[in-house]
Structure formats: C-alpha cells, structure tokens
Amino acid sequence: MQSIQIDRTLYNTKPDEADRTRKEMDTYDRLDKLGISYFRLDHEETPSIEACDEIEKLLGIEICKNLFLCNTQKTRFYLLMMPGRKKFRTKDLSRQINSSRLSFAEADDMEKYLNIVPGSVSVLGLMNDVNKCVTLLIDKDVLRDEFLGCHPCVNTSSLKIKTTDLLTKFLAYTGHEPTFVEL
C-alpha cells in the first residue's frame, strides 16, 4: 500500500478558498450554518479506504465507507454508510430493503444526484439531493461511535463529525430520513 501525503495539522475551521472547489467550500459553509463543528485533516487524494489508516489515527475515528448503489432497473438510488473495514454483501442488504439485486450506480448518476465523483462519496453529498432521489441507508454499527469520519464531498480532506450532529442537524436540514440496516 502506498502512503499519501498528509498535512498533520488538525483544523476546526474551513480552509481558505484558494485552490478549493466550490462543492468543498459549500460543504463547509453548510456545516457552519447548521452549527455543526468538525475537525478537518487535509491530504492527498485517497484512492481507497485502506489508504486512510493514518488519517483515521490522526482524527481518532473510523472513516465510513460510503457506497452509491442502485437497483437493477436504475429507478432507485441508495447511499449506504457503513464502517470502513466492514465487508459489504449485496444480498444481505437487498433482503433488508426489499430490493431486487443491487449494484454500484454509475458515476453520472452520482454526480447528477449528489454532485460528487467516485472516490469522494460522502453522506454530506445529500445536501445536493434536493429532490430526495437518494435513500440513505446506515449500518447500525456506524451509530456505536460518538464521532464518524467522512469526506467534505472531495477526497482530499477528511472530517471528524459528531454522529448525533449528522443525524439530528444535517439530516434534518436535508430532509433525508435514514433507514437503518444490519450488515
């Protein structure tokens, strides 16, 4: 596994807008407006959850694995949050949500509904799903920790956020009612 460059400084404010995308800055602006505090760590692009080991240690959290899924007909879209190291088995989830076979959704759909690209999938992308086209699924194991880790809609920074703030403040703002699953 290759190591990535990490700015080991832990920030609790949004970055300067220079060299940052609008979607990333919109994420920080939304968190600030909702009164959601966070710790931020900046780093090179993370190609996989395994590349986040050092980031997790520095933030003192486990980064969530976020999977963007759809049914066979591509009429239903799902964002699944689960512990980063947990194995995903499609049949376990399909049965719980009464859906036919699930697969990974296309990058175009991810960008269309969440305004994010592969590698940057994050629950925070739900702020862009104003028409509520995406159903949020949360593995119950995510709820066991006081804090969770996710990207601010880009995978060159990682955030540590209180789980309760995500559930009560952020999801209340987006209007997405999570469905809890056990994987």
Side-chain angles (χ1 to χ4, degrees), residues 16-52:
D16 183 18
E17 290 192 38
D19 300 321
R20 301 292 177 138
T21 64
R22 184 73 256 151
K23 71 175 89 181
E24 181 182 8
M25 295 310 294
D26 287 348
T27 303
Y28 298 122
D29 290 344
R30 181 58 48 210
L31 293 174
D32 291 346
K33 186 172 183 173
L34 295 172
I36 298 175
S37 60
Y38 52 87
F39 290 98
R40 174 178 54 87
L41 202 61
D42 296 330
H43 47 76
E44 285 184 321
E45 186 173 303
T46 52
S48 67
I49 197 77
E50 291 76 26
C52 294

Short mmCIF file of all heavy atoms in Angstrom, two decimals, residues 16-52:
data_model
loop_
_atom_site.label_atom_id
_atom_site.label_comp_id
_atom_site.label_asym_id
_atom_site.label_seq_id
_atom_site.Cartn_x
_atom_site.Cartn_y
_atom_site.Cartn_z
N ASP A 16 -9.01 28.14 3.54
CA ASP A 16 -9.05 29.30 2.66
C ASP A 16 -9.55 28.83 1.29
O ASP A 16 -9.25 27.72 0.86
CB ASP A 16 -7.64 29.88 2.55
CG ASP A 16 -7.58 31.15 1.71
OD1 ASP A 16 -8.63 31.78 1.49
OD2 ASP A 16 -6.47 31.50 1.27
N GLU A 17 -10.31 29.64 0.62
CA GLU A 17 -10.93 29.24 -0.65
C GLU A 17 -9.94 29.01 -1.78
O GLU A 17 -10.27 28.35 -2.77
CB GLU A 17 -11.98 30.26 -1.08
CG GLU A 17 -13.18 30.23 -0.20
CD GLU A 17 -14.35 31.01 -0.78
OE1 GLU A 17 -14.54 30.97 -2.01
OE2 GLU A 17 -15.06 31.63 0.01
N ALA A 18 -8.72 29.50 -1.65
CA ALA A 18 -7.73 29.31 -2.71
C ALA A 18 -7.49 27.82 -2.93
O ALA A 18 -7.32 27.06 -1.98
CB ALA A 18 -6.43 30.02 -2.34
N ASP A 19 -7.51 27.42 -4.16
CA ASP A 19 -7.25 26.03 -4.55
C ASP A 19 -8.27 25.03 -4.00
O ASP A 19 -7.95 23.84 -3.88
CB ASP A 19 -5.84 25.60 -4.12
CG ASP A 19 -4.76 26.46 -4.75
OD1 ASP A 19 -4.91 26.82 -5.94
OD2 ASP A 19 -3.77 26.77 -4.06
N ARG A 20 -9.45 25.47 -3.68
CA ARG A 20 -10.51 24.57 -3.21
C ARG A 20 -11.69 24.64 -4.17
O ARG A 20 -11.96 25.68 -4.76
CB ARG A 20 -10.99 24.95 -1.79
CG ARG A 20 -9.92 24.92 -0.73
CD ARG A 20 -9.43 23.51 -0.46
NE ARG A 20 -8.35 23.51 0.52
CZ ARG A 20 -8.24 22.65 1.50
NH1 ARG A 20 -9.11 21.66 1.63
NH2 ARG A 20 -7.24 22.72 2.33
N THR A 21 -12.39 23.55 -4.32
CA THR A 21 -13.54 23.54 -5.22
C THR A 21 -14.75 24.19 -4.54
O THR A 21 -14.83 24.26 -3.31
CB THR A 21 -13.92 22.11 -5.62
OG1 THR A 21 -14.35 21.39 -4.46
CG2 THR A 21 -12.75 21.39 -6.29
N ARG A 22 -15.66 24.64 -5.35
CA ARG A 22 -16.89 25.24 -4.84
C ARG A 22 -17.68 24.22 -4.03
O ARG A 22 -18.23 24.54 -2.98
CB ARG A 22 -17.73 25.76 -6.02
CG ARG A 22 -18.99 26.49 -5.61
CD ARG A 22 -18.70 27.87 -5.03
NE ARG A 22 -18.84 27.83 -3.58
CZ ARG A 22 -18.20 28.60 -2.73
NH1 ARG A 22 -17.33 29.48 -3.13
NH2 ARG A 22 -18.39 28.50 -1.44
N LYS A 23 -17.74 22.96 -4.50
CA LYS A 23 -18.51 21.95 -3.78
C LYS A 23 -17.93 21.69 -2.39
O LYS A 23 -18.67 21.48 -1.45
CB LYS A 23 -18.66 20.66 -4.57
CG LYS A 23 -17.43 19.82 -4.71
CD LYS A 23 -17.71 18.51 -5.42
CE LYS A 23 -17.57 18.65 -6.90
NZ LYS A 23 -17.83 17.45 -7.65
N GLU A 24 -16.61 21.73 -2.26
CA GLU A 24 -16.00 21.55 -0.94
C GLU A 24 -16.33 22.74 -0.04
O GLU A 24 -16.74 22.56 1.11
CB GLU A 24 -14.48 21.39 -1.06
CG GLU A 24 -13.81 21.18 0.29
CD GLU A 24 -12.29 21.07 0.21
OE1 GLU A 24 -11.70 21.30 -0.87
OE2 GLU A 24 -11.69 20.76 1.26
N MET A 25 -16.18 23.94 -0.56
CA MET A 25 -16.46 25.14 0.25
C MET A 25 -17.94 25.21 0.62
O MET A 25 -18.29 25.62 1.74
CB MET A 25 -16.01 26.40 -0.49
CG MET A 25 -14.50 26.48 -0.70
SD MET A 25 -13.49 26.20 0.79
CE MET A 25 -13.94 27.62 1.77
N ASP A 26 -18.83 24.80 -0.28
CA ASP A 26 -20.27 24.76 0.04
C ASP A 26 -20.54 23.81 1.20
O ASP A 26 -21.41 24.08 2.03
CB ASP A 26 -21.09 24.32 -1.18
CG ASP A 26 -21.17 25.39 -2.26
OD1 ASP A 26 -20.81 26.56 -1.99
OD2 ASP A 26 -21.60 25.05 -3.38
N THR A 27 -19.79 22.71 1.26
CA THR A 27 -19.96 21.76 2.35
C THR A 27 -19.60 22.41 3.69
O THR A 27 -20.37 22.32 4.66
CB THR A 27 -19.10 20.50 2.11
OG1 THR A 27 -19.45 19.94 0.85
CG2 THR A 27 -19.30 19.48 3.21
N TYR A 28 -18.46 23.08 3.75
CA TYR A 28 -18.06 23.75 5.00
C TYR A 28 -19.05 24.85 5.36
O TYR A 28 -19.43 25.00 6.53
CB TYR A 28 -16.66 24.35 4.87
CG TYR A 28 -15.59 23.33 4.62
CD1 TYR A 28 -14.78 23.43 3.50
CD2 TYR A 28 -15.37 22.26 5.49
CE1 TYR A 28 -13.78 22.50 3.24
CE2 TYR A 28 -14.38 21.33 5.25
CZ TYR A 28 -13.60 21.45 4.13
OH TYR A 28 -12.61 20.53 3.89
N ASP A 29 -19.48 25.61 4.37
CA ASP A 29 -20.45 26.68 4.64
C ASP A 29 -21.74 26.11 5.23
O ASP A 29 -22.31 26.68 6.16
CB ASP A 29 -20.77 27.46 3.36
CG ASP A 29 -19.60 28.31 2.88
OD1 ASP A 29 -18.66 28.55 3.66
OD2 ASP A 29 -19.62 28.72 1.69
N ARG A 30 -22.20 24.98 4.69
CA ARG A 30 -23.43 24.35 5.18
C ARG A 30 -23.23 23.85 6.61
O ARG A 30 -24.09 24.06 7.47
CB ARG A 30 -23.85 23.21 4.25
CG ARG A 30 -25.13 22.52 4.65
CD ARG A 30 -26.33 23.44 4.74
NE ARG A 30 -26.45 24.28 3.58
CZ ARG A 30 -26.98 25.51 3.58
NH1 ARG A 30 -27.50 26.03 4.66
NH2 ARG A 30 -27.03 26.23 2.48
N LEU A 31 -22.12 23.19 6.89
CA LEU A 31 -21.85 22.71 8.25
C LEU A 31 -21.80 23.88 9.23
O LEU A 31 -22.38 23.81 10.32
CB LEU A 31 -20.55 21.91 8.29
CG LEU A 31 -20.56 20.58 7.53
CD1 LEU A 31 -19.16 19.97 7.53
CD2 LEU A 31 -21.57 19.61 8.11
N ASP A 32 -21.13 24.96 8.84
CA ASP A 32 -21.04 26.14 9.71
C ASP A 32 -22.43 26.73 9.96
O ASP A 32 -22.78 27.07 11.09
CB ASP A 32 -20.12 27.20 9.09
CG ASP A 32 -18.65 26.77 9.09
OD1 ASP A 32 -18.29 25.79 9.78
OD2 ASP A 32 -17.86 27.42 8.36
N LYS A 33 -23.23 26.86 8.91
CA LYS A 33 -24.56 27.44 9.03
C LYS A 33 -25.45 26.59 9.95
O LYS A 33 -26.28 27.12 10.69
CB LYS A 33 -25.21 27.58 7.66
CG LYS A 33 -26.53 28.31 7.69
CD LYS A 33 -27.04 28.59 6.30
CE LYS A 33 -28.32 29.40 6.41
NZ LYS A 33 -28.79 29.86 5.11
N LEU A 34 -25.27 25.27 9.92
CA LEU A 34 -26.07 24.37 10.75
C LEU A 34 -25.52 24.24 12.18
O LEU A 34 -26.10 23.53 13.00
CB LEU A 34 -26.16 22.99 10.10
CG LEU A 34 -26.90 22.94 8.77
CD1 LEU A 34 -26.74 21.56 8.12
CD2 LEU A 34 -28.37 23.29 8.96
N GLY A 35 -24.40 24.89 12.46
CA GLY A 35 -23.81 24.81 13.79
C GLY A 35 -23.18 23.45 14.08
O GLY A 35 -23.15 23.00 15.22
N ILE A 36 -22.65 22.82 13.05
CA ILE A 36 -22.01 21.51 13.20
C ILE A 36 -20.50 21.72 13.22
O ILE A 36 -19.90 22.15 12.23
CB ILE A 36 -22.40 20.57 12.05
CG1 ILE A 36 -23.92 20.32 12.07
CG2 ILE A 36 -21.61 19.26 12.14
CD1 ILE A 36 -24.43 19.49 10.91
N SER A 37 -19.90 21.44 14.36
CA SER A 37 -18.45 21.58 14.47
C SER A 37 -17.78 20.33 13.89
O SER A 37 -18.38 19.26 13.83
CB SER A 37 -18.03 21.82 15.91
OG SER A 37 -18.44 20.75 16.72
N TYR A 38 -16.56 20.50 13.48
CA TYR A 38 -15.83 19.40 12.84
C TYR A 38 -14.33 19.63 13.01
O TYR A 38 -13.88 20.74 13.28
CB TYR A 38 -16.16 19.29 11.34
CG TYR A 38 -16.00 20.61 10.60
CD1 TYR A 38 -14.77 20.98 10.05
CD2 TYR A 38 -17.07 21.48 10.45
CE1 TYR A 38 -14.62 22.19 9.39
CE2 TYR A 38 -16.93 22.69 9.78
CZ TYR A 38 -15.71 23.03 9.25
OH TYR A 38 -15.56 24.23 8.60
N PHE A 39 -13.59 18.56 12.86
CA PHE A 39 -12.14 18.63 12.74
C PHE A 39 -11.83 18.20 11.32
O PHE A 39 -12.44 17.27 10.79
CB PHE A 39 -11.44 17.72 13.75
CG PHE A 39 -11.57 18.22 15.16
CD1 PHE A 39 -12.53 17.69 15.99
CD2 PHE A 39 -10.73 19.22 15.63
CE1 PHE A 39 -12.67 18.16 17.28
CE2 PHE A 39 -10.86 19.69 16.93
CZ PHE A 39 -11.84 19.16 17.75
N ARG A 40 -10.88 18.89 10.71
CA ARG A 40 -10.54 18.65 9.31
C ARG A 40 -9.07 18.31 9.18
O ARG A 40 -8.22 18.93 9.81
CB ARG A 40 -10.84 19.92 8.49
CG ARG A 40 -10.41 19.86 7.05
CD ARG A 40 -10.79 21.14 6.29
NE ARG A 40 -10.33 22.37 6.91
CZ ARG A 40 -9.15 22.93 6.71
NH1 ARG A 40 -8.27 22.37 5.91
NH2 ARG A 40 -8.82 24.06 7.31
N LEU A 41 -8.79 17.34 8.35
CA LEU A 41 -7.43 16.95 8.03
C LEU A 41 -7.31 16.99 6.51
O LEU A 41 -8.14 16.41 5.80
CB LEU A 41 -7.18 15.53 8.54
CG LEU A 41 -5.76 15.09 8.78
CD1 LEU A 41 -5.09 15.97 9.84
CD2 LEU A 41 -5.75 13.64 9.26
N ASP A 42 -6.31 17.68 5.99
CA ASP A 42 -6.08 17.77 4.55
C ASP A 42 -5.02 16.76 4.14
O ASP A 42 -4.05 16.52 4.89
CB ASP A 42 -5.64 19.19 4.16
CG ASP A 42 -6.71 20.23 4.45
OD1 ASP A 42 -7.90 19.89 4.38
OD2 ASP A 42 -6.35 21.39 4.72
N HIS A 43 -5.18 16.20 2.96
CA HIS A 43 -4.27 15.15 2.50
C HIS A 43 -4.35 15.01 0.99
O HIS A 43 -5.24 15.58 0.35
CB HIS A 43 -4.61 13.82 3.18
CG HIS A 43 -6.07 13.49 3.15
ND1 HIS A 43 -6.72 13.03 2.02
CD2 HIS A 43 -7.02 13.58 4.13
CE1 HIS A 43 -8.00 12.83 2.30
NE2 HIS A 43 -8.23 13.17 3.57
N GLU A 44 -3.45 14.22 0.44
CA GLU A 44 -3.54 13.88 -0.98
C GLU A 44 -4.79 13.03 -1.19
O GLU A 44 -5.36 12.49 -0.25
CB GLU A 44 -2.32 13.06 -1.41
CG GLU A 44 -1.07 13.87 -1.57
CD GLU A 44 0.07 13.01 -2.08
OE1 GLU A 44 0.21 11.84 -1.66
OE2 GLU A 44 0.84 13.53 -2.89
N GLU A 45 -5.18 12.90 -2.44
CA GLU A 45 -6.33 12.08 -2.78
C GLU A 45 -6.16 10.67 -2.22
O GLU A 45 -5.09 10.08 -2.32
CB GLU A 45 -6.47 12.03 -4.30
CG GLU A 45 -7.71 11.34 -4.77
CD GLU A 45 -7.88 11.45 -6.26
OE1 GLU A 45 -7.92 12.59 -6.77
OE2 GLU A 45 -7.97 10.39 -6.91
N THR A 46 -7.22 10.16 -1.62
CA THR A 46 -7.19 8.81 -1.05
C THR A 46 -7.82 7.84 -2.04
O THR A 46 -9.02 7.93 -2.31
CB THR A 46 -7.94 8.76 0.29
OG1 THR A 46 -9.25 9.30 0.12
CG2 THR A 46 -7.21 9.55 1.35
N PRO A 47 -7.03 6.92 -2.59
CA PRO A 47 -7.56 6.02 -3.60
C PRO A 47 -8.44 4.89 -3.06
O PRO A 47 -9.18 4.27 -3.81
CB PRO A 47 -6.29 5.44 -4.24
CG PRO A 47 -5.26 5.53 -3.18
CD PRO A 47 -5.61 6.75 -2.37
N SER A 48 -8.38 4.67 -1.75
CA SER A 48 -9.17 3.58 -1.15
C SER A 48 -9.32 3.82 0.35
O SER A 48 -8.62 4.64 0.93
CB SER A 48 -8.48 2.23 -1.37
OG SER A 48 -7.27 2.19 -0.63
N ILE A 49 -10.23 3.06 0.96
CA ILE A 49 -10.43 3.16 2.40
C ILE A 49 -9.16 2.71 3.14
O ILE A 49 -8.82 3.23 4.20
CB ILE A 49 -11.69 2.37 2.85
CG1 ILE A 49 -12.14 2.80 4.25
CG2 ILE A 49 -11.48 0.89 2.80
CD1 ILE A 49 -12.86 4.11 4.29
N GLU A 50 -8.42 1.77 2.56
CA GLU A 50 -7.19 1.29 3.18
C GLU A 50 -6.12 2.38 3.25
O GLU A 50 -5.29 2.37 4.15
CB GLU A 50 -6.65 0.07 2.42
CG GLU A 50 -7.49 -1.18 2.56
CD GLU A 50 -8.77 -1.15 1.71
OE1 GLU A 50 -8.81 -0.46 0.67
OE2 GLU A 50 -9.74 -1.81 2.12
N ALA A 51 -6.17 3.32 2.33
CA ALA A 51 -5.21 4.42 2.32
C ALA A 51 -5.49 5.43 3.43
O ALA A 51 -4.70 6.35 3.65
CB ALA A 51 -5.23 5.11 0.97
N CYS A 52 -6.58 5.25 4.14
CA CYS A 52 -6.99 6.21 5.17
C CYS A 52 -6.50 5.83 6.58
O CYS A 52 -6.86 6.48 7.55
CB CYS A 52 -8.51 6.34 5.19
SG CYS A 52 -9.18 7.08 3.69
#
